Amino acid sequence: MTWLLRVPACATVLLAPVEGYLQEVHPHLAKVAPAVLIVSWAVQRARERRWPAAHPLHAVLALLGVVLLASAAVHAGDPFTLDYAQRFLPFLVITAVLVDVVAREVPVRAVLGAAVGGAVFAAVGALYSLVFEGASRATGPLEDPNDLAFFLVAALPLLIALPHRKFLLPVAAVLAAGAAATFSRGGGLALAAAALWLVARRAVSIRAVAVAVGGLAVIGLGAVVFAGPVLDRALAEKTYIAATNVDTRELRWQAAARMLAGNPVLGVGPGGFRSSYAAASRNAEIDEQSPVAHNIYLEIGAELGLPGLACFLGAIALAFVSAERVLRAAAVRSMLAIQASLIAALVASTFLSEQYYLPIWSLVAVAIAAGLRHEESERDACVARHQ
C-alpha cells in the first residue's frame, strides 16, 4: 500500500510550482495533495502502530511551531496574524511528514524528479506567458516573476541526481530559458552560487558549466533575433524596476531590522511585517503600506523573533549536515544535488520572502530522510554481520 503515500507525496512536490494555475481552477485546489498526504500518512502509521523515526529536526520543527503559535497569540489583534499563521504552520507539518515517508516509502529520486517535473511545467508556462500572452516578464503560474525564478533555479541542480541523462539537456534548457525569461537578478545569482558549489565539489566540470553558459548565450541570441521588440520592452521595464527595487528593498530590510531589534523574543507576529511596515519605515513608501520584506531571514526574524529565526536556520543546518554525512559515507550524487539546490534557494531567498513556498522545506525534508535511510541501512548491515 506504499502507493497511497508515494502518489500524494510526489504530487505535493510536483504541483507546488504550478500553484497559481490550480488556484485559478479553485482557490483551495492546491491544498488537496498536501491534505491527502497528511491524512494518508496518519492513517498508515495508525494501522502500522509505528512512530516516525526520531531526528533532531522534529524538535526544531516543534519548537518553531511553538514560537509561531506563541507569537500569533501575543499579536492576535493584528489583521494579518491569523492568515499568515495558518499559511506557515502547514509547511512545518508537511516537512515532518515528508521526512517520514521519504525515509521509508518514497524513493529520494522520485521526490527530486517530481520537483524537476513541476518546475518544467512552470517553465513552459513562463515561456508561454512571455511569447504568447505578451507579458513583459515571464510569470506563468506565479504572479511574481522572482518567485517563479526561485522554483526554476532551485530545480536545475537536481538534474545531476536523475537518471536518463540523454533527456536532461532539453529539460535543463527549458528550465534555464524559463528562469532567464523572468529577468530575475536574484535567480541568476542563486544559479551561479549553485554552479560554483557543484564545480567546487567536482559534481560537474568547468567544461560543463562553460557549455551551459554557451547554451544560454545561444538562447539569448535566438530571443534577440526572433523576439527583439518583446525583449527590448522587457529589458526596459526590468531596468526601471531594478533601480526602484534597490531602494525599496533597502528600506524594507532596515524596517525589518528595526522590528527585530525592538521585538527580539517573539517578533511582531506572523504577517506582522506588513502591518508594521509603515510605522517602522517612517512611512518611507507612500504608495506601498503593507509589503513583504523581500528577505526570508529578516522577515522571519522580524515576525517570529530570534528564536524563530534560529529554528529556521537550525533546520537548514541539520539538512546540510545530514546530506554531507550521507555523501561522505556513500558518495551519493543526489546529496550534492540537494545541497546545491538548497544553496540556490537560500541565495534567492536573500532577495525574496519564500517561507510560504515548498522548495526549502521539501529539500530539508529529503536531506534528513536520506540520512535516516542511510542510518537504517547501516544498522541492517551491522545486524547481518553479527548473525
Side-chain angles (χ1 to χ4, degrees):
M1 300 297 287
T2 56
W3 65 272
L4 289 173
L5 292 174
R6 288 185 178 185
V7 171
C10 291
T12 296
V13 178
L14 175 73
L15 297 175
V18 294
E19 177 182 333
Y21 290 152
L22 299 177
Q23 289 176 339
E24 288 179 5
V25 177
H26 191 279
H28 301 297
L29 186 57
K31 301 175 183 177
V32 172
V36 171
L37 171 62
I38 293 170
V39 172
S40 300
W41 169 81
V43 170
Q44 187 78 350
R45 292 297 176 260
R47 290 178 60 188
E48 296 171 344
R49 297 181 181 178
R50 183 169 64 173
W51 288 96
H55 191 277
L57 179 69
H58 294 115
V60 171
L61 293 175
L63 182 56
L64 181 53
V66 170
V67 172
L68 175 68
L69 293 175
S71 180
V74 171
H75 301 283
D78 186 277
F80 296 103
T81 293
L82 182 59
D83 179 46
Y84 275 74
Q86 290 175 338
R87 289 177 63 187
F88 204 136
L89 195 59
F91 284 102
L92 307 183
V93 177
I94 291 170
T95 302
V97 172
L98 281 176
V99 167
D100 192 41
V101 299
V102 177
R104 289 174 172 170
E105 289 93 356
V106 185
V108 169
R109 276 187 173 179
V111 179
L112 301 185
V116 171
V120 169
F121 282 120
V124 171
L127 295 172
Y128 182 87
S129 70
L130 188 72
V131 176
F132 296 102
E133 295 182 347
S136 56
R137 296 175 64 196
T139 54
L142 297 175
E143 184 178 350
D144 190 330
N146 296 309
D147 291 333
L148 178 59
F150 169 78
F151 275 98
L152 302 185
V153 300
L156 267 164
L158 300 179
L159 292 175
I160 70 167
L162 301 182
H164 309 296
R165 297 191 181 280
K166 61 182 179 180
F167 298 109
L168 296 185
L169 184 58
V171 170
V174 171
L175 291 175
T182 64
F183 296 93
S184 172
R185 294 169 299 168
L189 289 173
L191 192 55
L196 287 173
W197 177 262
L198 291 175
V199 170
R201 300 300 299 269
R202 298 181 180 178
V204 297
S205 64
I206 296 179
R207 179 182 177 183
V209 174
V211 170
V213 172
L216 286 175
V218 171
I219 293 173
L221 181 61
V224 171
V225 172
F226 295 104
V230 174
L231 187 62
D232 289 341
R233 186 176 73 251
L235 288 173
E237 180 175 320
K238 177 59 181 177
T239 301
Y240 172 77
I241 293 174
T244 304
N245 282 348
V246 171
D247 296 332
T248 57
R249 285 183 181 176
E250 183 178 356
L251 292 172
R252 294 174 191 182
W253 294 353
Q254 290 173 351
R258 292 190 194 103
M259 294 180 202
L260 176 57
N263 304 271
V265 179
L266 289 176
V268 294
F273 177 86
R274 298 187 65 183
S275 57
S276 304
Y277 176 67
S281 67
R282 302 178 181 90
N283 232 9
E285 294 183 70
I286 301 299
D287 57 341
E288 185 58 87
Q289 296 292 295
S290 56
V292 295
H294 279 289
N295 182 297
I296 194 172
Y297 315 105
L298 286 173
E299 186 161 311
I300 290 178
E303 295 187 350
L304 303 182
L306 290 174
L309 179 59
C311 289
F312 176 71
L313 296 176
I316 293 168
L318 287 172
F320 267 103
V321 170
S322 179
E324 190 65 25
R325 284 177 177 172
V326 176
L327 183 63
R328 293 188 178 186
V332 180
R333 192 175 176 85
S334 58
M335 295 301 100
L336 277 175
I338 290 170
Q339 288 180 334
S341 183
L342 257 178
I343 287 171
L346 295 173
V347 170
S349 295
T350 305
F351 311 97
L352 301 167
S353 299
E354 298 297 328
Q355 63 269 38
Y356 303 108
Y357 291 104
L358 190 61
I360 290 178
W361 303 106
S362 61
L363 289 168
V364 167
V366 173
I368 299 299
L372 291 172
R373 277 179 175 264
H374 179 69
E375 290 173 5
E376 184 174 358
S377 66
E378 284 190 332
R379 286 194 297 268
D380 292 344
C382 183
V383 170
R385 286 195 300 268
H386 288 83
Q387 285 181 346

